[in-house]
Amino acid sequence: MNRSARAFWLRSPGHGELRDITLAEPAEDEVLVRALYSGVSRGTETLVFRGGVPESQHAAMRAPFQEGDFPGPVKYGYLSVGEVEEGPDELVGRTVFCLYPHQSRYVVRVNAVTVVPERVPAERAVLAGTVETAVNALWDAAPLIGDRIAVVGGGMVGCSVAALLARFPGVRLQLVDADPERAKTAEALGVDFATPDSALGDCDLVVHASATEAGLTRALQLLAPEGTVVELSWYGDRRVALPLGEAFHSRRLTVRSSQVGSVSPAARAGRGYADRMALALDLLADPALDALITGESAFDQLPDVMPRLASGEIPALCHRIRYAGTGLT
C-alpha cells in the first residue's frame, strides 16, 4: 500500500505550500483515508491564512488535527471527505467525513470519522462542518414556530443557518446581506432576501454572521423589544464597537454568543459531538445546499488559490478542493 501523502501547510501568514509526508501504518483502532474532497471555510481559514488569530485565542482556535502553531507554520483545516482504504471491514470502501486539514491521505482513529449517508454525495458532504455549526447555533437560539427571524450575513455559516431555518413552519425569515448577489443564493435555498436598509424589523430573533461591526449594529436595530441576537461571527483580533446606550436597555435586548467548540447546553440530554455531526450529515441530503459551494480547484492549486480566497479575488462561500486526478493520492 502506498503510504505517501501531501499536505497543505501555512508556512507563514499569507504563504502556503504543499509538503510531502509518509504515513505510519494504521493501528488496529485506526483507518487510512484517501481524500476525495475538502472544503475551505472562507471566513475562519482565510483569517488563519492572514495570521489574524489573536494570541489569546491560539489554544481555543486549534483544529482537531492541527499540526504546528499560530501564526505558522501550521497545518489547518477541518472539512475533509474521503474513502477508507484500510481499517475495520465495515468501514473499508465507505465514504467518511473527518475534521481533518487539507491532505491527500491521512490516518486517524476510527471514532474520528463519520460515515456519509449514501443519499449524500461526497461533493456536498464537505459542508458537514459548517452545517454542524448551524445546528449548534439553532440549538442555542431555540427558534419557535411563528417567530420573525433575520439572518444577517450571507456567508457560508449564515446561509447554512438560513437553509435550516427555512424548514421551520410559520416563521418569517429573511437572509440579509449588503451584497445583492447573495439574493441568488437565498433564492436557491428558498429564503427571502433583503439588503440591510430594506430588511424587516420587529424580529424576535436575529442570527448574526457577517463578522462586521455594521452587521452586528444592524442586527440589534432589527430586533423587537426583548429580542435576541445570536452572534456567530468570529472577529479574530479586531475590536467591535456597539450602540449599547440609546434604547438597548429600555428595549431589554440580548446579545449571546454561540460557538461550535462545545455542544449547546440546550441540546437534548446525552447528545454529544458524534450525534451533532451525524445530524448535520443527514441534513445534507437536501440538494438545495449545493448552492453553498461556489467554486472548485485541484489540490495542487491550493497554494495559489488560498491567497486569492483570502483577498476576495475569488468570491466564495465554500470553495471545494478536488483530490481525484491530481496524481497526489
Side-chain angles (χ1 to χ4, degrees):
M1 174 67 69
N2 178 10
R3 302 210 182 279
S4 63
R6 299 190 81 183
F8 177 75
W9 278 74
L10 174 63
R11 184 175 71 250
S12 61
H15 302 281
E17 64 185 9
L18 297 180
R19 296 185 181 182
D20 295 316
I21 57 176
T22 300
L23 303 176
E25 183 174 349
E28 195 171 303
D29 60 347
E30 294 180 324
V31 289
L32 170 63
V33 179
R34 175 176 61 87
L36 299 172
Y37 300 96
S38 59
V40 178
S41 177
R42 186 172 178 269
T44 303
E45 285 197 60
T46 59
L47 185 144
V48 170
F49 188 78
R50 293 190 299 266
V53 179
E55 187 173 350
S56 65
Q57 296 300 303
H58 282 189
M61 280 292 292
R62 288 192 69 86
F65 295 99
Q66 175 179 322
E67 293 183 38
D69 298 298
F70 303 119
V74 63
K75 183 174 77 174
Y76 191 85
Y78 46 83
L79 301 173
S80 181
V81 177
E83 180 181 318
V84 176
E85 292 191 318
E86 294 184 50
D89 291 342
E90 65 271 19
L91 288 178
V92 171
R94 301 295 298 273
T95 301
V96 295
F97 178 86
C98 185
L99 295 166
Y100 207 86
H102 308 282
Q103 185 166 308
S104 61
R105 276 194 175 94
Y106 48 90
V107 175
V108 293
R109 293 176 65 92
V110 168
N111 61 8
V113 300
T114 304
V115 173
V116 176
E118 291 185 5
R119 63 187 179 280
V120 177
E123 296 91 333
R124 192 186 306 148
V126 295
L127 297 169
T130 309
V131 173
E132 181 189 22
T133 299
V135 167
N136 205 62
L138 294 183
W139 281 346
D140 280 333
L144 299 175
I145 293 175
D147 271 358
R148 299 158 297 181
I149 305 174
V151 178
V152 176
M156 192 175 169
V157 171
C159 284
S160 296
V161 171
L164 299 190
L165 281 169
R167 307 177 184 201
F168 277 66
V171 300
R172 189 197 77 188
L173 174 64
Q174 284 190 318
L175 178 64
V176 181
D177 198 277
D179 182 359
E181 288 296 309
R182 287 287 184 258
K184 299 175 184 176
T185 306
E187 182 180 6
L189 297 173
V191 177
D192 187 29
F193 176 82
T195 56
D197 58 353
S198 64
L200 298 173
D202 289 325
C203 292
D204 304 292
L205 169 67
V206 178
V207 179
H208 179 243
S210 80
T212 67
E213 182 177 304
L216 183 50
T217 298
R218 186 60 178 139
L220 286 167
Q221 293 170 344
L222 293 176
L223 287 177
E226 310 234 355
T228 297
V229 169
V230 173
E231 175 61 278
L232 295 183
S233 299
W234 169 245
Y235 296 94
D237 54 3
R238 290 177 293 142
R239 290 183 177 272
V240 177
L242 288 180
L244 299 185
E246 301 177 357
F248 178 80
H249 289 284
S250 63
R251 296 173 64 214
R252 299 179 59 85
L253 305 182
T254 298
V255 179
R256 62 171 305 182
S257 65
S258 178
Q259 209 273 340
V260 74
S262 58
V263 176
S264 168
R268 293 290 184 185
R271 283 196 173 179
Y273 294 100
D275 303 290
R276 191 176 65 185
M277 179 58 72
L279 174 59
L281 280 163
D282 188 62
L283 291 167
L284 279 166
D286 185 353
L289 289 162
D290 285 333
L292 304 187
I293 299 172
T294 51
E296 182 176 286
S297 301
F299 175 57
D300 55 3
Q301 298 173 320
L302 191 51
D304 296 321
V305 167
M306 191 66 85
R308 297 170 65 200
L309 288 168
S311 69
E313 179 185 345
I314 300 178
L317 293 175
C318 177
H319 192 85
R320 187 167 58 207
I321 303 302
R322 180 184 68 254
Y323 291 78
T326 63
L328 301 174
T329 59

